[in-house]
């Protein structure tokens, strides 16, 4: 009898999430149990329920975003799959299990309010910030985010209890541009003004700069999501470093380090 020790599937076998998240995982588990019984195999393990819950929450938000404009393209679905494969490095049966959750998510109608309520019950505020940031990151990876899709993310932010300042900091971290037709588009990974990264204005005081940095560095410290597994730690580190680089760039522009050294 062949066996695969997969932490995500192990967590799924003992899931007790309930709501839309539990329904989605249950459907995916049922598919894989049927499939592996036919193949004569059994999957087992002690898994990470919090990681599985986070992954499923993200997939639900992404599928809802993709459907917000009424048209789901193959490119959008592939972008979600590619994120888990390329950005997070999932491989083998675990990736196939995640892809099954993605498939199931597009077969169901997502109730945003119920989904966000289910997410909020099992996540910290910092985890929800990370979810929102990743939602934007994946949603714009194909270079386009329609107004209905962006509006969906905005409503998700409200239902997740994200503060206005934190939402704007995340939203503005992704650079916009105008296409030839004048419609809004997105440039994933394009340079972002350091003041935008910290969510402050160019005429802010020195104290406001330090305060904004300390606030964001605390919220986005990788330790806040370390329990989600190594797959997410690198992504959290990138966001944390982005905040740090923006802070250093502003200090260098204003000569704050020189002033401190001269006093």
């Amino acid at each position: 009898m062949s066996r695969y020790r997969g932490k995500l599937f192990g967590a799924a076998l003992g899931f007790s999430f309930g709501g839309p998240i539990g329904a989605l995982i249950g459907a995916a588990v049922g598919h894989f149990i049927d499939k592996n019984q036919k193949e004569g195999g059994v999957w087992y393990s002690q898994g990470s329920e919090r990681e599985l819950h986070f992954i499923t929450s993200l997939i639900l938000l992404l599928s809802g975003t993709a459907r917000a404009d009424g048209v789901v393209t193959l490119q959008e679905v592939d972008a979600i799959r590619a994120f888990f494969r390329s950005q997070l490095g999932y491989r083998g049966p675990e990736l196939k299990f995640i892809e099954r959750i993605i498939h199931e998510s597009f077969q169901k109608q997502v109730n945003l309010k119920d989904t966000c309520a289910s997410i909020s019950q099992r996540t910290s505020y910092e985890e929800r910030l990370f979810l929102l940031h990743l939602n934007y990151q994946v949603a714009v990876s194909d270079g386009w985010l329609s107004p209905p899709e962006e509006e969906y993310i905005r409503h998700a932010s409200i239902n997740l209890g994200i503060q206005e300042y934190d939402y704007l900091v995340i939203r503005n971290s992704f650079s916009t541009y105008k296409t030839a037709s004048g419609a809004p588009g997105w440039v994933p990974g394009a340079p972002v003004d350091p003041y935008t990264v910290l969510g402050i204005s160019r005429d802010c005081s020195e104290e406001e700069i330090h305060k904004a940095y300390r606030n964001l560095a605390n919220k986005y410290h990788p330790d806040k999501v370390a329990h989600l597994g190594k797959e997410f730690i690198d992504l959290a580190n990138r966001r944390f470093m982005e905040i740090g680089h923006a802070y250093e760039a502003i200090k260098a522009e204003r000569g704050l380090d020189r002033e401190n050294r001269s006093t």
Side-chain angles (χ1 to χ4, degrees):
M1 181 179 293
S2 63
R3 293 191 175 188
Y4 172 76
R5 181 173 292 277
K7 62 178 178 178
L8 293 181
F9 193 79
L13 287 176
F15 78 93
S16 57
F17 303 129
I21 292 174
L24 193 63
I25 294 173
V29 170
H31 169 83
F32 270 89
I33 288 177
D34 291 343
K35 183 175 185 294
N36 279 267
Q37 283 177 342
K38 291 176 183 178
E39 296 176 355
V42 177
W43 284 15
Y44 74 103
S45 114
Q46 296 298 316
S48 168
E49 284 205 1
R50 292 190 73 172
E51 183 178 354
L52 178 61
H53 182 276
F54 189 87
I55 287 171
T56 309
S57 299
L58 178 59
I59 290 172
L60 277 168
L61 291 177
L62 287 169
S63 65
T65 301
R67 288 188 291 196
D69 59 1
V71 179
V72 178
T73 67
L74 181 60
Q75 189 176 12
E76 288 174 317
V77 179
D78 284 345
I80 298 174
R81 292 194 186 110
F83 172 75
F84 288 98
R85 181 178 63 251
S86 303
Q87 295 294 315
L88 293 177
Y90 286 103
R91 295 287 184 272
E94 284 200 338
L95 177 60
K96 290 185 182 298
F97 182 52
I98 290 173
E99 289 179 337
R100 188 64 200 180
I101 296 176
I102 294 170
H103 173 80
E104 292 290 344
S105 74
F106 281 102
Q107 305 308 305
K108 301 178 183 298
Q109 199 65 301
V110 178
N111 182 298
L112 181 60
K113 186 174 181 180
D114 290 346
T115 296
C116 290
S118 181
I119 292 171
S120 297
Q121 286 175 1
R122 287 179 173 263
T123 55
S124 66
Y125 185 75
E126 290 78 14
E127 286 177 275
R128 295 197 292 278
L129 288 179
F130 195 37
L131 268 176
L132 194 68
H133 183 86
L134 293 179
N135 195 357
Y136 261 114
Q137 180 178 328
V138 180
V140 306
S141 61
D142 61 356
W144 167 252
L145 188 71
S146 70
E149 289 172 336
E150 186 170 9
E151 185 66 15
Y152 184 89
I153 298 177
R154 175 70 179 125
H155 284 302
S157 172
I158 293 171
N159 280 282
L160 289 171
I162 303 300
Q163 297 173 9
E164 179 73 6
Y165 166 79
D166 289 324
Y167 165 74
L168 291 175
V169 166
I170 294 170
R171 184 250 180 254
N172 293 337
S173 292
F174 299 90
S175 299
T176 59
Y177 69 98
K178 294 291 184 179
T179 62
S181 65
W186 294 80
V187 184
V192 180
D193 180 80
Y195 289 89
T196 299
V197 173
L198 297 190
I200 52 180
S201 63
R202 285 193 161 270
D203 60 355
C204 67
S205 67
E206 180 179 339
E207 178 55 33
E208 287 174 316
I209 295 170
H210 297 316
K211 182 178 179 180
Y213 168 71
R214 289 192 298 267
N215 177 32
L216 292 176
N218 178 59
K219 289 175 179 174
Y220 287 97
H221 196 285
D223 286 351
K224 301 287 187 178
V225 295
H227 55 276
L228 297 177
K230 62 181 179 62
E231 290 83 2
F232 288 97
I233 293 175
D234 285 345
L235 288 177
N237 270 320
R238 289 179 210 170
R239 176 62 175 156
F240 186 70
M241 290 175 64
E242 179 186 26
I243 293 166
H245 289 328
Y247 180 55
E248 294 300 326
I250 293 173
K251 288 199 299 180
E253 175 188 305
R254 294 194 176 201
L256 298 181
D257 284 335
R258 292 193 299 273
E259 290 177 10
N260 290 336
R261 286 196 295 269
S262 64
T263 56

